[in-house]
Each structure stands twice: as structure tokens, then as C-alpha cells.
Amino acid sequence: MILDNKTRSLGDAVRLVILQAGALAKDYFQNQANLAVSLKNPKDLVTEADIRVENFIRDQLTSLYPQYGFWGEESGKPDNLDQFWVVDPIDGTHSFYRGQYFWSISIALQIGSDITVGAVYAPALDDLYFSEKDGGSTKNGKPIRVSQTNNLAEAMVCTGFACLRSNLKNNNLERFSRIALKTRDQRRYGSAALDLCMVADGQLDAFWEQNLNLYDVAAGALIAKEAGASVSDFSGREGMFPENILVTNGRIKDRMVELM
Ligand code: IPD
Ligand code: CA
Ligand code: CA
């Protein structure tokens, strides 16, 4: 069903589209018997669900807002990079494929150099994170803020290993060990978009990862920033850098930068 944008704000339309996409993804998630799966490379799966969910989101958003380009992970960059949607139809495909709950759908709108809208939905958890630039962030409609953790010894941190998927020699393993020795606890959930939302919601105190793409982080980084997080590269330079992103509750940023 193609929505009409005459009666809805853009934010409402994005929320509706991501929830409908979530229902489609969850149907695949719960009926995986004949799910087609292929390899992008030996360590990177893509499923029929990734493709179908992205096609659904693209059809809805380009029909509602034909003025915006569409960059989906599975379909590639558009010509229009002035203002475009950036979408990861299933972030955490490996988790999805194994029947685990930590996977999500990520939709962001980039206008010029600004991410102006971000939505991340975790269908298996039924959690919807949402933000508009300068408008704060919500989880299931309720405002969220980063944690108050002030020191690493009490911090729970999270990362991922995209670098290993790309067989990078300069990878995250030594950095992870260094940080693990200084922090209370560590997590690797498998969906960078959701990891970023968990920092925004105070469930985690910091997230970092190398070698991500814009579609992994665009929505989650806006949601985190609007919830009070610091968003920087590993050196602490403010901004969103998918190739080496560090997002913290702000209070432990400097100590994390020292360890990166
Ligand atoms: C992956 C997830 C994972 C991260 C990988 C990403 P995908 O996304 O975000 O947490 O560590 O680097 O590629 O490939 O499942 O969309
Ligand atoms: Ca992804
Ligand atoms: Ca993906």
C-alpha cells in the first residue's frame, strides 16, 4: 500500500514506513525455511529479506518524496547526493539469519551535509527509536537520554568487527583488548544501528567501530547525538565518520579517545 503524504508529517510517514517494513522483515524472520541466502563475500551474508525489505522501503519513500534520492545498502548510491534517504534494510543480517533478536531497520534522511531525520526499528524487540535534528530522541514515543556513567571502571561498552569481515590488518582486536581491561563490561550485539540507539537510551556508555558505512550509522548517530551523546572519530574530532566512529555518553569520551 503506497501511503499518501497529504495527511502526515515526514516524521510520521517515516515511522509508518519503518513499522510496515518491520512487519515484512519479521514475517521473513519467523519463516526462514525457504529464505534465499547468498554471500557478498565469505564473511558477509545477504538474504532475500534484505532485498525485499529495501525494495519496499524504496517504493514507499520515493513515491511519497520523489524529490529525494535513495541510497540503500543493497541497491547502491543514487545520482542525487544533495538530499537523499540512506537505508539499511536489515542491519545485523547475520543475527537475523540465526534467529537472534538484535537486528534492526535503519532509515535516515540526509539534506546537504546534515542528517535531519533518523529512525531505527528492531522488529524482534518491537523497539522504535526516532529523532529529528534539534528535536531530541525517543524510544517508543518516550524521550531518551544518554547514561550518567562518569568513569570507565563502571562503563559498559560495545563494538563490532566489520574490520575482520574486510580482513583488515589494522583491525579492532588489540583496541578491544585494551579497552576491555579498563571497563566493567563489554558487548557485541551485531547491529551497529541498534548499538548506537542503546547508547542514546543509556543502556550502553560507549560504542565504537571501524570500517562501517553511512547506512549503518546515519540514523543511529543522529538519535544518539540528539540524546546527548558525543559523536566523533577515534581521535575525538566531532562529526559522523562511519569508517571510524566513536559515540559515548560524553562523560567518558576523553578517556575512550585515549584508549582508541
Ligand atoms: C553489520 C552490523 C554489525 C557490524 C557490521 C555491519 P549488516 O551490518 O551493523 O553490527 O559490525 O560491520 O556490516 O552487514 O548486517 O547490514
Ligand atoms: Ca549494516
Ligand atoms: Ca544490512
Side-chain angles (χ1 to χ4, degrees):
M1 175 195 67
I2 297 287
L3 303 170
D4 69 73
N5 60 353
K6 296 172 189 53
T7 57
R8 292 182 181 82
S9 71
L10 185 142
D12 287 346
V14 169
R15 277 185 285 250
L16 198 49
V17 168
I18 204 167
L19 289 173
Q20 290 182 330
L24 176 62
K26 199 161 174 196
D27 190 43
Y28 280 108
F29 179 67
Q30 292 172 331
N31 302 284
Q32 299 210 27
N34 304 311
L35 185 68
V37 186
S38 55
L39 287 175
K40 290 184 189 177
N41 70 45
K43 290 183 180 178
D44 195 0
L45 296 177
V46 60
T47 75
E48 177 187 358
D50 294 81
I51 308 297
R52 294 291 177 90
V53 170
E54 181 167 312
N55 290 345
F56 171 81
I57 294 169
R58 184 181 54 246
D59 291 350
Q60 294 291 326
L61 292 179
T62 54
S63 164
L64 284 168
Y65 303 98
Q67 69 272 36
Y68 299 144
F70 186 90
W71 177 4
E73 176 179 359
E74 310 309 339
S75 52
K77 277 188 183 178
D79 298 332
N80 170 3
L81 281 173
D82 296 331
Q83 42 186 25
F84 58 97
W85 299 102
V86 53
V87 172
D88 192 336
I90 295 182
D91 184 57
T93 295
H94 289 197
S95 301
F96 173 93
Y97 181 58
R98 298 299 298 266
Q100 298 167 4
Y101 287 2
F102 278 86
W103 53 275
S104 62
I105 300 169
S106 180
I107 298 176
L109 178 61
Q110 179 163 331
I111 305 287
S113 59
D114 289 335
I115 303 296
T116 59
V117 177
V120 174
Y121 180 49
L125 304 170
D126 197 23
D127 281 335
L128 173 60
Y129 297 88
F130 182 81
S131 180
E132 290 183 281
K133 188 169 182 298
D134 303 329
S137 295
T138 58
K139 173 186 179 184
N140 301 327
K142 294 188 175 62
I144 55 176
R145 291 295 295 174
V146 295
S147 69
Q148 307 277 322
T149 307
N150 284 307
N151 60 71
L152 287 188
E154 295 171 10
M156 179 180 279
V157 298
C158 181
T159 188
F161 294 95
C163 48
L164 299 182
R165 211 181 252 182
S166 311
N167 297 316
L168 295 185
K169 289 279 172 283
N170 167 29
N171 60 47
N172 192 29
L173 291 172
E174 190 190 337
R175 179 181 299 112
F176 176 77
S177 306
R178 196 163 53 239
I179 292 171
L181 290 171
K182 299 284 187 189
T183 49
R184 170 175 287 173
D185 211 342
Q186 309 76 31
R187 292 289 184 273
R188 195 288 190 258
Y189 288 111
S191 167
L194 206 41
D195 299 335
L196 290 163
C197 291
M198 294 171 80
V199 175
D201 189 32
Q203 299 178 51
L204 292 168
D205 303 307
F207 167 78
W208 79 94
E209 188 162 355
Q210 290 168 252
N211 212 48
L212 289 174
N213 290 285
L214 184 63
Y215 41 74
D216 296 306
V217 302
L222 177 69
I223 292 164
K225 186 174 180 205
E226 288 292 329
S230 69
V231 180
S232 72
D233 66 7
F234 288 0
S235 74
R237 178 174 50 132
E238 288 294 318
M240 182 181 57
F241 304 93
E243 65 284 357
N244 61 0
I245 187 167
L246 169 65
V247 176
T248 83
N249 67 2
R251 294 166 180 79
I252 62 170
K253 176 188 173 184
D254 293 345
R255 284 290 291 126
M256 286 295 291
V257 168
E258 287 168 18
L259 293 172
M260 296 311 278

